Amino acid sequence: MLISYNRLKELIDFDYTPSELDNILTMMGIEVEAIINYKEKYNNFYVGEVLSKEAHPQADKLSLCEVNFGVGQKTVVCGAPNVAAGQKIMYASTGAIVPNGGFKIEKRKIRGIESEGMICSQSELDLGEDTGGIWVLPSDAQVGQPLTEFCNIDDVILEISVTPNRPDCLNHFGIARLIAAYKNEKFNRPTFTLERTGEDSSKDVSIEVQSEELCSRYVGLVIKGIKQQASPDWLQNKIKMLGLRPVNAVVDVTNYVMYETGQPLHAFDLDKIKGGKVIIKTARDGEKFTPLNDKERQLDSSMLMICDGERSIAIAGVMGGANSEIDDNTQNILIESAYFNPQSVRRTAKKVGLSTDASYRFERGVDYSAVPYAAEYAASLINQICGGKVASSAIDLQDANFKANEVEMRFEKANKLIGIDVTPERIIDIMKSLEFEIVAQDAEKIRVKVPTYRVDIAYEVDLIEEVAIMYNYDNIQPEFSTNINFSNSLSNSQLLMPKMRAKVRNYLVQNGFTEVLTQNIIDPTSAKLFADECVVLSNPLGEEMSVMRPSLIPSILKTIERNIRHGNTNLHIFEIGKNFELKKSTDKDGKESSYFNENEEIVIALSGSIAPFDWNDKERQVDYYDIKGVLEDFIDKFGITSVKFKKDDYLKDIFSANALTIHFRGKPEGKFGEVSKKLLKQFGIEKPVYLITLKREAVYTAKLSQSKYLGVSQFPAVKRDVGFILPKATEAEPVRAAIAKVGGKYLNEIEIFDIFVGEKIGLENKYIAFALTYLAPDKTLTDQEVDDSIKAIIAAVEKQFNAKLRDF
């Protein structure tokens, strides 16, 4: 953002040098990135006169020119085809640095003849786009006059950097207000004369706002009978110094007023508005629109448009349309000044891929109250330059419910946050200097009405920050000492890092897994697969990063897809991270509110080959038993108890039927197995993926089994096999658990060694066989002791599972 030092001095009287102003603005939160002194930039450039022109004796395309620049006469070798004797030109004397090129002018011989200086083109001076030859000045130009005086650009330009929360400083009025507040003076907007000789604006056009939530104020002002022309030199020079390109008088005025007031304006050719109507409404899905000097864009129903009786004529807050632009034949215009919803403009500008000076300001918020002032300011300038009749009154449609924000500030709270004692009287003076209206006050606090241009002020801390800034941070002495009571330990154990986290991470890394770290924020489509309602960001960077993830699985699957796409197909990865769960609660009055829980989750994934390629070993793809083995080894390693595997509908849309739920203390706390092919297809993955997902409670808060040493028995083990025919729906794990329960103290090991389904036993049945190992630490077992256990097992299984013993 470029700001004119001279214009600031016209708006508010001060005697600070540019360097001093740099320090003041920086202290007030506005960074000055560069100071451009045009007098220094164009030092040694003067209006000159070509006294004579002769052909160069050694070059056909070069000329020898005698140039008078007021303090002497110099010979210049010039290659421009349009140079001629008697012309007034812009001369660069020795020592000048040419802006477009950065080289220094010195005496040097060109084809044997010494040249002292240079005759410049507008392009070389960064003052225009004419590259066809030298800049020929008007005949009445005063020889010897410095360039800055001739162009009326004897100014200093401040290039400032404004944070997104301070749109009020994106203009000269805003910076002048800060300087006035620093001087404890009041800033008054410039007054102007506006002769209204035309009819009411509503006689020529009607305006209707259909989307009031997206456009809370819209001003339309008609000017008829203007004479379209190029801007006068003073206006062209001012907007050039602000980094803008002159177009025509009307467009240049709207740009100039935007840099003055911060309010973007747009001018429509009134005669191109069909039906004499302006309608502010959202676009149709799939509608096509061509902005000014740009390619066709496709719109959707979320985008606010300015329309006439037949078509769209502008993208609200972003850019006007080619179908209503100001041209050389324009005689009647409609000046638009409005307040558009910042979020709507930001979203639209991003979707259509257009970022303009107008959208940059609308996205951050403009001054609601200054909307009509800016339109009238522009009308007065257009009237002065182009003539015409300004309508007797503008059309001003505004939100009847609009109310300026009010914020309360406590004096004691302000002093605590700032760290020093600022008297209530000083705080009140600061608020008044910043144009905050005091609504109410007492000995403890004040309540102020926030100026409509201060869109960044919403809370008490915002006001306190303003007090600190105006008090001057340099006047606040830092305190580097603190008191810490080391006798007290942290009372909230949840703030401490879980001890198991590092152990889990180390175990997985040592077993060949690679840890991945992904964003906590994902796209809404992926999030909806895991939760109906999610935690949505109010100000996201984009749709792809707009929702706090309800699970780590989408992040893991995206990582797998990216790796496979880049040729890394054999993956053993894991992530330990946070997911976010939206919750709702109801208070005693029945009022519902939302909050969210932040939970830690562990996800382990396998895909591709189980081991790297080896010429001496057959390649094998990972399967269900690999991921099951990882989980069982994990549970065994950490001695986690109270864990059971069950087949149920938990995460049924995420996993295939080839998966089991991990129950911890009777509740589902995770799942393992094969990811469903439907889900993999949504993430663009064609290879099978096997996952374990575990909530932190199932690991970090589990009761761990205590390991203890048992001596190796010196006595022989007894092995028996027992098989049962059971109903086909019976799962093996409950049967194994029942065997363990009644098997007795000498039953040392239970293994499933066969499962059979077929016609031989009836298609409605299933056969499961168990290998049982008996062992006593202090004696050799007798057949009777083992037989008693087998009988108890058979009786229990037959009764509990409607089973029948099958003889081997």
Side-chain angles (χ1 to χ4, degrees):
M1 172 70 189
L2 302 180
I3 294 291
S4 165
Y5 175 80
N6 285 352
R7 182 56 179 155
L8 291 177
K9 294 200 71 170
E10 292 170 357
L11 292 170
I12 183 76
D13 183 37
F14 64 85
D15 55 5
Y16 309 121
T17 66
S19 295
E20 290 172 337
L21 190 58
D22 176 1
N23 293 332
I24 291 169
L25 293 177
T26 300
M27 185 275 296
M28 301 180 79
I30 306 299
E31 181 184 358
V32 179
E33 294 185 331
I35 299 176
I36 306 165
N37 189 326
Y38 274 78
K39 197 164 189 176
E40 293 178 359
K41 180 178 180 179
Y42 291 110
N43 188 32
N44 294 320
F45 288 89
Y46 303 96
V47 174
E49 181 179 9
V50 180
L51 301 177
S52 65
K53 171 193 170 184
E54 298 178 2
H56 194 294
Q58 304 297 327
D60 295 338
K61 294 184 178 181
L62 298 179
S63 303
L64 298 180
C65 301
E66 291 296 320
V67 176
N68 172 28
F69 64 104
V71 292
Q73 187 173 313
K74 301 292 181 181
T75 299
V76 178
V77 177
C78 180
N82 64 329
V83 67
Q87 290 176 335
K88 298 290 180 66
I89 48 82
M90 193 56 66
Y91 169 73
S93 66
T94 54
I97 298 176
V98 179
N100 189 351
F103 57 89
K104 187 176 183 180
I105 301 296
E106 296 176 332
K107 290 183 182 180
R108 64 190 186 99
K109 287 187 177 182
I110 301 176
R111 295 292 182 91
I113 296 180
E114 191 172 70
S115 178
E116 297 183 86
M118 176 179 174
I119 302 175
C120 303
S121 68
Q122 284 183 301
S123 174
E124 290 164 333
L125 295 169
D126 278 347
L127 294 175
E129 299 177 358
D130 181 13
T131 58
I134 63 168
W135 183 13
V136 180
L137 307 180
S139 58
D140 60 352
Q142 182 181 344
V143 174
Q145 187 177 26
L147 182 149
T148 52
E149 292 182 13
F150 174 78
C151 294
N152 193 25
I153 56 172
D154 187 3
D155 199 355
V156 177
I157 299 297
L158 306 176
E159 183 177 353
I160 64 173
S161 176
V162 180
T163 53
N165 67 319
R166 292 301 304 270
D168 59 297
C169 295
L170 291 170
N171 55 84
H172 287 88
F173 286 9
I175 300 300
R177 279 194 199 97
L178 288 183
I179 299 171
Y182 181 80
K183 290 168 57 73
N184 200 23
E185 296 178 3
K186 182 175 177 56
F187 168 74
N188 295 308
R189 291 187 306 195
T191 57
F192 50 82
T193 301
L194 179 59
E195 295 184 5
R196 298 178 179 272
T197 57
E199 297 181 316
D200 190 286
S201 295
S202 60
K203 297 285 187 181
D204 297 292
V205 65
S206 65
I207 301 176
E208 178 186 357
V209 179
Q210 292 185 3
S211 302
E212 294 183 357
E213 71 281 3
L214 302 182
C215 176
S216 56
R217 190 166 196 178
Y218 193 95
V219 170
L221 179 59
V222 171
I223 306 178
K224 299 179 72 175
I226 68 168
K227 183 180 179 182
Q228 182 61 290
Q229 57 184 306
S231 299
D233 289 342
W234 70 265
L235 179 56
Q236 289 196 35
N237 291 333
K238 282 183 180 294
I239 65 174
K240 282 178 184 177
M241 285 193 294
L242 298 176
L244 301 173
R245 179 179 61 86
V247 179
N248 57 53
V250 173
V251 174
D252 293 349
V253 165
T254 58
N255 286 332
Y256 175 73
V257 172
M258 177 178 65
Y259 270 70
E260 282 277 280
T261 65
Q263 173 65 45
L265 302 171
H266 186 70
F268 296 102
D269 188 322
L270 186 62
D271 297 322
K272 295 178 182 178
I273 297 176
K274 304 292 184 182
K277 295 180 180 179
V278 171
I279 305 170
I280 298 91
K281 62 181 181 179
T282 54
R284 302 184 307 274
D285 282 326
E287 180 182 346
K288 302 290 177 59
F289 181 75
T290 304
L292 286 166
N293 302 322
D294 205 75
K295 62 183 181 180
E296 185 179 75
R297 296 295 205 278
Q298 182 166 313
L299 311 176
D300 63 45
S301 58
S302 70
M303 301 178 184
L304 188 66
M305 303 296 292
I306 312 300
C307 308
D308 62 16
E310 299 178 5
R311 70 243 159 113
S312 295
I313 57 176
I315 304 175
V318 181
M319 186 177 284
N323 55 12
S324 61
E325 68 177 319
I326 304 295
D327 57 32
D328 294 340
N329 300 316
T330 298
Q331 295 182 346
N332 306 311
I333 64 172
L334 172 68
I335 298 175
E336 169 196 273
S337 182
Y339 183 94
F340 298 118
N341 180 277
Q343 290 78 14
S344 173
V345 175
R346 186 183 307 118
R347 183 171 55 246
T348 298
K350 186 169 184 179
K351 283 185 176 180
V352 299
L354 287 172
S355 179
T356 61
D357 282 338
S359 67
Y360 184 79
R361 287 161 174 79
F362 278 124
E363 288 172 12
R364 287 155 175 78
V366 298
D367 183 0
Y368 184 92
S369 301
V371 170
Y373 173 88
E376 293 176 351
Y377 189 6
S380 70
L381 293 174
I382 292 171
N383 187 232
Q384 292 174 29
I385 298 169
C386 303
K389 295 183 177 181
V390 181
S392 60
S393 63
I395 300 171
D396 187 356
L397 304 179
Q398 52 185 307
D399 183 1
N401 297 319
F402 174 80
K403 185 179 179 182
N405 191 23
E406 292 186 4
V407 181
E408 190 173 86
M409 176 172 51
R410 294 162 292 174
F411 300 131
E412 184 179 358
K413 180 70 173 179
N415 287 333
K416 282 184 177 180
L417 280 183
I418 298 172
I420 58 172
D421 289 331
V422 184
T423 64
E425 293 76 19
R426 178 73 175 116
I427 290 176
I428 292 171
D429 286 344
I430 289 174
M431 289 292 100
K432 288 180 178 179
S433 71
L434 291 170
E435 300 186 12
F436 289 85
E437 180 185 342
I438 309 298
V439 176
Q441 71 179 80
D442 55 32
E444 297 179 351
K445 61 185 181 299
I446 58 170
R447 187 170 188 82
V448 300
K449 181 182 289 186
V450 180
T452 52
Y453 59 82
R454 289 303 300 269
V455 298
D456 60 312
I457 304 296
Y459 305 104
E460 182 182 32
V461 291
D462 299 327
L463 291 178
I464 295 172
E465 181 183 22
E466 294 301 307
V467 173
I469 289 172
M470 295 306 299
Y471 189 84
N472 195 330
Y473 285 121
D474 292 338
N475 294 331
I476 301 174
Q477 295 297 321
E479 177 61 64
F480 296 109
S481 62
T482 186
N483 294 318
I484 301 174
N485 185 354
F486 290 100
S487 63
N488 296 329
S489 60
L490 286 173
S491 59
N492 191 348
S493 61
Q494 292 181 339
L495 298 177
L496 300 175
M497 180 182 291
K499 295 179 181 179
M500 281 289 290
R501 185 187 297 164
K503 293 180 180 179
V504 169
R505 180 180 285 116
N506 290 338
Y507 165 76
L508 291 169
V509 170
Q510 291 164 7
N511 279 270
F513 287 86
T514 300
E515 183 177 12
V516 299
L517 299 173
T518 59
Q519 288 279 1
N520 288 337
I521 312 170
I522 62 174
D523 62 281
T525 303
S526 299
K528 285 291 184 183
L529 297 171
F530 295 84
D532 293 330
E533 292 188 79
C534 303
V535 181
V536 180
L537 298 182
S538 59
N539 188 22
L541 296 174
E543 189 174 13
E544 289 296 310
M545 301 181 71
S546 60
V547 178
M548 303 302 292
R549 63 184 178 191
S551 169
L552 271 65
I553 294 178
S555 303
I556 283 285
L557 292 179
K558 287 183 178 181
T559 302
I560 291 172
E561 186 275 333
R562 192 178 302 112
N563 274 270
I564 292 175
R565 181 158 35 90
H566 287 83
N568 185 20
T569 58
N570 301 329
L571 298 168
H572 293 54
I573 60 176
F574 76 95
E575 180 172 11
I576 303 173
K578 298 293 180 66
N579 64 41
F580 301 84
E581 181 184 15
L582 189 66
K583 295 279 192 178
K584 294 190 180 295
S585 64
T586 305
D587 61 19
K588 61 182 180 180
D589 298 323
K591 186 178 180 181
E592 190 177 76
S593 60
S594 297
Y595 65 98
F596 66 88
N597 282 341
E598 185 176 333
N599 308 304
E600 190 164 300
E601 184 181 2
I602 303 167
V603 176
I604 306 168
L606 294 176
S607 185
S609 297
I610 191 64
F613 173 76
D614 191 322
W615 68 273
N616 196 34
D617 193 11
K618 185 177 180 180
E619 188 176 30
R620 181 177 71 80
Q621 299 295 304
V622 295
D623 58 23
Y624 168 82
Y625 295 102
D626 291 312
I627 199 72
K628 182 173 183 287
V630 170
L631 179 59
E632 289 176 335
D633 190 53
F634 182 89
I635 292 172
D636 183 62
K637 163 68 180 176
F638 294 106
I640 301 172
T641 60
S642 305
V643 176
K644 292 184 178 181
F645 302 154
K646 293 184 180 180
K647 197 167 187 66
D648 55 30
D649 289 340
Y650 179 68
L651 297 180
K652 65 176 182 177
D653 295 327
I654 308 304
F655 288 84
S656 70
N658 194 19
L660 290 175
T661 300
I662 305 166
H663 282 255
F664 174 66
R665 295 174 183 167
K667 293 195 305 180
E669 297 287 353
K671 195 148 187 164
F672 73 94
E674 183 181 18
V675 179
S676 74
K677 289 182 171 58
K678 182 180 178 182
L679 182 64
L680 293 179
K681 186 177 181 180
Q682 289 181 259
F683 284 87
I685 302 172
E686 297 179 355
K687 291 177 173 289
V689 174
Y690 296 87
L691 284 181
I692 300 170
T693 175
L694 266 174
K695 297 178 183 177
R696 65 175 283 177
E697 286 78 5
V699 179
Y700 297 169
T701 64
K703 182 179 180 181
L704 307 182
S705 61
Q706 298 297 316
S707 298
K708 59 181 180 179
Y709 172 75
L710 293 176
V712 177
S713 176
Q714 300 177 14
F715 301 94
V718 177
K719 294 184 179 291
R720 296 285 180 90
D721 295 335
V722 60
F724 298 97
I725 297 175
L726 309 102
K728 191 174 181 178
T730 307
E731 295 181 359
E733 175 58 25
V735 180
R736 192 204 66 79
I739 293 173
K741 184 176 181 180
V742 300
K745 64 179 180 178
Y746 298 128
L747 180 57
N748 185 259
E749 193 173 320
I750 306 169
E751 293 290 341
I752 300 170
F753 71 87
D754 192 16
I755 296 178
F756 173 76
V757 176
E759 293 183 1
K760 291 182 178 180
I761 61 172
L763 294 178
E764 72 281 1
N765 295 324
K766 176 193 293 183
Y767 169 69
I768 307 176
F770 298 89
L772 311 178
T773 303
Y774 291 88
L775 183 65
D778 55 354
K779 67 177 181 176
T780 299
L781 293 174
T782 64
D783 288 342
Q784 185 63 44
E785 289 174 316
V786 174
D787 289 342
D788 288 344
S789 173
I790 295 294
K791 288 176 182 178
I793 289 171
I794 293 170
V797 173
E798 287 181 341
K799 181 180 179 181
Q800 188 173 341
F801 299 98
N802 192 23
K804 183 174 72 172
L805 180 68
R806 182 184 180 188
D807 297 328
F808 289 91

